[in-house]
Amino acid sequence: MDIKKNYRPEESDSEDDYDGFYFGDQLVPKRKNYFSIKDEEEDLISAINCGDLTSIKENMSKLNFDVNSPVKRGYTLLMHACKNGFYDIVEYLVLEKEANVNKQVDSVTPLLQACDCIKSSHIVEKIVNLLLKHGAVVNVSDKYATTPFMLACKNGHANVVRLLIKDVSFDAIDNRGCTPIFHAVENNRVEIVKILIEAGVNYTKANSKGYTPRRVAEVHGFHDLLKLLPYEEEDCYVIPTQFLSYNTMRDYIPRIFLKSECPEYFQEVYNILRSLNMDRYLEYFAKESVPLSKFLCLDDKGLEKLGIQLPLFRMKIMKGLLDYHLNYWNKKSIGHINKTSKDNFYDILMITANHLQNLIKIKSSLCFIKNHLKQNLLGPLEEEELQIMLRNFQNYQLAIKALRNTIKYLASFSPEKNPLYIDYNEYLTERKRSRIKCYSNFTTIAIGISVFICSKFKRFF
């Protein structure tokens, strides 16, 4: 995380904001506030932290305090009691004051607070039982996607884990991509890990950083847990790094250059899933080498066929694709060339690559909308929307035409052949011609010498 360092105060145009003094000014000490107003809820919050039930009753009666209201703009009385593990106070608030057991404050509920209690597991079990009997929702999470079951695994409340295990999902993940077994492994809860494994939890699934529960146990040196987490001979699938970012010209223009192992524009698939916070499902698309054109046209059945079993996550991806396709297209979103611009060949090539990618996206959007219109999932199509779409296509045709004219204009300056061009056939022919010429010269010399020798010996005959 980048930390911004301020080496001097920020400048301000307003003179009223100036808080300093000029040289020569006398320092005037600021007035201190010697008087403080006592908060009426101070005694109540002190009583709830100390577990004084009698004082709580007196202060609630004196203040006519609503049991479901936050205390000092914080948590409710029931949440404080659950967090501190005061069963008698929880019992009083739930049974006599009828406190709401599903009241949320900053996405936190009493059940979350109870499972996060570090008091005796026996007391925590009694509190959780009481909350569940009065309708507490089990499958709820805070803003960090942490569930009560995860907190129970983290704090080692074995009986609470056994109590909740029949109503929870083992595959639920928090914002770090960790399932409940990670919380047990990270805190060396051997008994909890045994319970989860016996219940059939998947202990080979990696978190968002690629660590499995066994790997976490190895890092922390929890040898007792390593005995419970057997080594899997089959390695987990690792997405190739070239699938995640553009590296070569083959990635930018896959239809012109030689075919690569990376699916066509798969980097855009990664960017879309990451914007939806669904990048943990990228491996399903990487294993099947799903290109961008196919990904943008996927429906619910196609996602299920790839292996995404939970309907909630398929629906989230489908909603993201729908929002992607329904955004209005603008020609300003792609590269273009002006008459006054001084672009080199590489710039022209990259702009062309950008156009090719947008053509694939537009074609995919048309197929997606066409299929959904046939199924009557998008409602009636208005004439105004058709006109807007037609104008966008016409503008795009003009942009493509301008690009084509520019490329032809630049091509007119190019020589017929590259200055470094070598015709190997002509080179071999020239070598053969020179070799024959050399042989003919040797032959001529040899014949001349033979004639000379014959003429000299002719005198002796």
Side-chain angles (χ1 to χ4, degrees):
M1 181 176 68
D2 296 333
I3 302 176
K4 183 179 179 182
K5 297 181 179 179
N6 293 325
Y7 295 98
R8 61 182 179 84
E10 296 182 357
E11 297 180 355
S12 175
D13 296 333
S14 174
E15 296 180 356
D16 297 333
D17 294 335
Y18 183 73
D19 195 31
F21 56 92
Y22 292 103
F23 293 104
D25 292 346
Q26 294 182 355
L27 295 178
V28 180
K30 295 183 179 180
R31 293 183 179 180
K32 295 183 179 179
N33 187 9
Y34 293 99
F35 303 97
S36 60
I37 301 175
K38 185 177 181 180
D39 194 337
E40 295 180 350
E41 298 179 0
E42 188 70 32
D43 293 336
L44 185 60
I45 194 66
S46 299
I48 193 67
N49 288 331
C50 296
D52 189 350
L53 180 57
T54 304
S55 179
I56 291 174
K57 292 179 180 179
E58 292 176 356
N59 283 281
M60 288 184 67
S61 177
K62 181 176 63 176
L63 299 174
N64 195 20
F65 189 79
D66 182 9
V67 69
N68 292 319
S69 298
V71 185
K72 294 189 68 173
R73 298 182 180 179
Y75 294 134
T76 63
L77 292 173
L78 181 58
M79 291 179 182
H80 282 290
C82 291
K83 177 67 175 178
N84 294 324
F86 299 136
Y87 176 76
D88 54 343
I89 299 177
V90 174
E91 188 178 34
Y92 166 73
L93 294 174
V94 174
L95 297 181
E96 296 189 25
K97 290 297 183 179
E98 297 181 353
N100 185 2
V101 297
N102 291 313
K103 173 71 175 180
Q104 286 191 355
V105 177
D106 194 23
S107 75
V108 177
T109 64
L111 185 59
L112 279 164
Q113 293 287 69
C115 292
D116 200 25
C117 178
I118 59 175
K119 292 290 184 68
S120 169
S121 295
H122 175 67
I123 296 176
V124 174
E125 181 188 2
K126 290 176 62 178
I127 295 175
V128 171
N129 258 318
L130 182 62
L131 295 176
L132 293 177
K133 287 180 181 178
H134 288 80
V137 178
V138 175
N139 290 311
V140 66
S141 60
D142 61 10
K143 59 185 177 182
Y144 304 107
T146 305
T147 64
F149 188 69
M150 293 177 183
L151 294 175
C153 294
K154 170 187 173 183
N155 295 302
H157 302 313
N159 290 333
V160 177
V161 170
R162 293 188 182 96
L163 188 64
L164 301 177
I165 200 168
K166 62 181 183 298
D167 298 320
V168 299
S169 172
F170 297 144
D171 294 327
I173 58 174
D174 59 11
N175 61 347
R176 298 179 302 154
C178 294
T179 55
I181 194 172
F182 279 94
H183 293 266
V185 171
E186 287 176 351
N187 294 275
N188 198 18
R189 305 296 184 182
V190 179
E191 185 178 1
I192 304 296
V193 173
K194 286 182 180 178
I195 296 172
L196 295 176
I197 292 177
E198 290 173 0
V201 69
N202 182 7
Y203 53 84
T204 62
K205 185 177 181 181
N207 60 11
S208 57
K209 291 186 177 181
Y211 290 97
T212 61
R214 179 180 176 83
R215 179 58 180 159
V216 174
E218 289 176 349
V219 171
H220 290 291
F222 298 148
H223 300 288
D224 292 339
L225 291 179
L226 293 177
K227 297 177 182 178
L228 302 175
L229 302 169
Y231 178 76
E232 292 291 324
E233 296 183 358
E234 183 179 356
D235 294 332
C236 297
Y237 177 79
V238 178
I239 301 174
T241 55
Q242 63 267 25
F243 283 27
L244 305 179
S245 61
Y246 291 96
N247 298 300
T248 64
M249 291 301 296
R250 296 179 180 181
D251 297 330
Y252 288 102
I253 318 177
R255 297 196 178 189
I256 293 181
F257 292 92
L258 297 176
K259 186 177 180 182
S260 64
E261 296 180 358
C262 180
E264 188 177 73
Y265 299 118
F266 190 83
Q267 297 82 359
E268 296 298 320
V269 177
Y270 170 58
N271 292 333
I272 294 173
L273 289 175
R274 187 172 57 176
S275 66
L276 299 174
N277 197 23
M278 298 294 289
D279 49 328
R280 60 182 177 274
Y281 288 101
L282 185 66
E283 63 175 280
Y284 293 95
F285 303 95
K287 288 178 181 177
E288 300 296 329
S289 298
V290 178
L292 176 63
S293 56
K294 182 179 178 181
F295 172 77
L296 293 176
C297 295
L298 283 172
D299 54 9
D300 186 73
K301 292 182 179 179
L303 292 174
E304 185 177 8
K305 188 176 180 181
L306 287 173
I308 304 176
Q309 301 298 328
L310 295 179
L312 178 64
F313 296 139
R314 297 201 304 268
M315 187 182 301
K316 188 174 181 180
I317 296 176
M318 288 295 298
K319 184 180 181 300
L321 290 177
L322 180 63
D323 293 338
Y324 182 89
H325 289 300
L326 292 182
N327 281 333
Y328 285 111
W329 181 86
N330 193 326
K331 68 175 183 179
K332 294 181 180 179
S333 64
I334 59 174
H336 60 280
I337 303 173
N338 297 324
K339 294 181 179 179
T340 57
S341 62
K342 299 180 180 180
D343 299 308
N344 57 28
F345 176 76
Y346 178 79
D347 295 331
I348 300 295
L349 187 62
M350 296 307 298
I351 291 173
T352 307
N354 186 235
H355 278 276
L356 292 174
Q357 186 180 127
N358 274 272
L359 284 172
I360 292 173
K361 292 179 181 178
I362 291 174
K363 180 181 178 182
S364 301
S365 295
L366 289 175
C367 294
F368 182 90
I369 295 173
K370 179 182 177 182
N371 294 334
H372 282 69
L373 284 175
K374 286 183 178 180
Q375 301 175 20
N376 198 22
L377 297 176
L378 299 180
L381 190 63
E382 298 181 359
E383 185 66 24
E384 183 180 356
E385 295 178 347
L386 286 174
Q387 293 298 327
I388 293 174
M389 186 181 296
L390 181 60
R391 285 197 299 270
N392 286 334
F393 277 117
Q394 290 174 347
N395 291 332
Y396 192 43
Q397 286 177 346
L398 293 175
I400 294 292
K401 184 178 180 180
L403 178 65
R404 183 171 62 248
N405 293 336
T406 304
I407 293 175
K408 287 182 178 180
Y409 175 72
L410 293 175
S412 64
F413 294 98
S414 302
E416 295 182 0
K417 292 184 178 180
N418 193 316
L420 299 179
Y421 174 77
I422 298 176
D423 190 344
Y424 287 99
N425 293 327
E426 184 178 351
Y427 174 73
L428 293 175
T429 304
E430 181 63 26
R431 284 188 60 183
K432 187 176 181 179
R433 189 184 301 115
S434 62
R435 192 177 301 168
I436 294 173
K437 184 177 180 181
C438 182
Y439 290 156
S440 63
N441 292 335
F442 279 117
T443 304
T444 303
I445 294 172
I447 294 174
I449 294 174
S450 300
V451 171
F452 177 76
I453 293 174
C454 290
S455 62
K456 289 292 183 182
F457 283 97
K458 190 176 181 180
R459 297 177 181 179
F460 298 100
F461 297 100

